[in-house]
Amino acid sequence: MKQILKSIILMCLVILFSTSLAKAHFLVLIPDSDNVESSKREVKIETRFTHPMEGGPNMVFKILDSGALVRGKKIELEWKKRLIPSMKGSSKKVPMYLTILKITKPGVYQVYVDPEPYFEPSEEKYIKQITKVLIQAFGLEEGWDTPIGLKAEIIPLVKPFAIWEGNTFKGQVLINEKPARNIEVEVEYLNTKNIKAPYESFITQVVKTDENGYFEYTIPWAGWWGFSALGDGGAIKGPNGKEYPLELDAVIWVKAYPKPKEVK
Ligand SMILES: [Cu+2]
């Protein structure tokens, strides 16, 4: 009997740890296309706060600020809220947001979302993930490596809307406009194919920035990939007046296009 009790307790501990440690939160920001040709005048964009590789749970979040920057001009985005189940089949509903970006002129549209800090009780801290995605319209490609002045931002060093699977993505992390050295960058695949990780450790891959804030990662297969650089945002006060650390993350989403079948 004691033996059974022991193993039950052990199992609970394993479950507790595996659910609280392995999962990385990601603000997902995905357009229906990152290359817009002249026949298309609208890009649908959706955003949610989730665990992309595991397909959930989706979490509650609010957008503080957002926009699309094109050649120095800001386009305001109006988001429609939609309630989705936290997990497949669950009765708990959380918001996701949808918008339509009107493409009026050629250029690189840098779309960003700056969310309200999210309190993570298991880690006793706030997390704020400022997220961006880049869209090229009508063949004008300049400006994809221009920072847009976010408090946490990944500057791509590889043209982000022209990546094949197997290409290496490279970026520089700026936190408060300074290169963030020696920090972790979490990498997750937006798992639309129900791929199973061989071990929990594979759900979130991790690379580190060097002394100048640069990191790189070779994208193993096609799809949308998120990079979240975990920065230090100091501390903020919670509703109870107590101070908590703020994890200030810079997130970028890039799409890797499948290898042409002729060369596979
Ligand atoms: Cu979460």
Side-chain angles (χ1 to χ4, degrees):
M1 196 62 192
K2 251 190 186 165
Q3 222 30 52
I4 295 172
L5 206 70
K6 250 191 197 166
S7 57
I8 289 174
I9 290 171
L10 196 74
M11 243 171 65
C12 289
L13 279 176
V14 168
I15 291 167
L16 214 113
F17 273 95
S18 59
T19 50
S20 62
L21 290 182
K23 289 178 178 181
H25 320 280
F26 266 85
L27 202 101
V28 174
L29 179 64
I30 303 287
D32 66 0
S33 175
D34 62 351
N35 281 278
V36 176
E37 292 181 326
S38 56
S39 57
K40 192 173 158 88
R41 297 282 153 156
E42 289 183 342
V43 177
K44 280 190 202 124
I45 303 170
E46 61 167 74
T47 183
R48 62 206 154 92
F49 190 37
T50 190
H51 303 259
M53 179 62 183
E54 292 160 290
N58 298 299
M59 293 167 294
V60 175
F61 84 107
K62 269 195 202 141
I63 298 172
L64 263 187
D65 180 31
S66 69
L69 278 117
V70 54
R71 289 191 269 146
K73 281 231 173 87
K74 183 178 168 181
I75 301 168
E76 299 292 338
L77 298 173
E78 269 180 46
W79 297 92
K80 277 210 183 93
K81 182 162 135 182
R82 187 194 284 169
L83 291 175
I84 52 168
S86 161
M87 278 306 271
K88 227 186 193 168
S90 131
S91 60
K92 193 187 168 201
K93 299 279 194 291
V94 300
M96 68 169 288
Y97 304 89
L98 300 147
T99 194
I100 289 176
L101 170 66
K102 292 218 162 60
I103 305 290
T104 52
K105 55 180 176 186
V108 171
Y109 290 70
Q110 297 205 36
V111 179
Y112 75 93
V113 166
D114 181 351
E116 237 172 44
Y118 156 85
F119 187 69
E120 178 51 57
S122 72
E123 296 173 69
E124 286 263 306
K125 70 178 179 191
Y126 281 93
I127 299 171
K128 183 183 177 72
Q129 296 193 317
I130 305 178
T131 303
K132 75 176 189 181
V133 66
L134 291 89
I135 300 161
Q136 172 278 121
F138 309 157
L140 204 150
E141 298 184 359
E142 279 90 71
W144 53 263
D145 55 350
T146 310
I148 55 170
L150 303 173
K151 271 186 153 292
E153 185 168 0
I154 293 175
I155 314 303
L157 291 160
V158 174
K159 197 163 73 178
F161 37 76
I163 297 174
W164 294 114
E165 65 176 310
N167 278 170
T168 299
F169 180 69
K170 202 169 170 186
Q172 186 186 30
V173 182
L174 302 180
I175 305 286
N176 289 315
E177 286 167 38
K178 282 197 215 73
R181 56 149 70 177
N182 203 30
I183 64 166
E184 292 195 344
V185 181
E186 297 185 330
V187 185
E188 280 200 28
Y189 166 63
L190 182 65
N191 196 348
T192 52
K193 298 229 149 85
N194 205 18
I195 289 168
K196 296 270 176 291
Y199 294 100
E200 285 254 339
S201 60
F202 278 70
I203 293 170
T204 309
Q205 301 216 282
V206 178
V207 293
K208 293 199 75 174
T209 61
D210 68 12
E211 62 277 17
N212 297 309
Y214 294 106
F215 71 91
E216 57 179 50
Y217 177 81
T218 299
I219 299 176
W221 62 78
W224 281 97
W225 288 81
F227 297 85
S228 172
L230 312 186
D232 181 0
I236 55 170
K237 268 202 183 114
N240 54 6
K242 207 180 143 191
E243 280 210 340
Y244 292 98
L246 173 67
E247 184 189 295
L248 182 60
D249 303 345
V251 179
I252 192 168
W253 283 90
V254 300
K255 183 182 174 181
Y257 284 73
K259 255 183 209 164
K261 62 178 188 311
E262 294 86 344
V263 297
K264 260 196 169 165

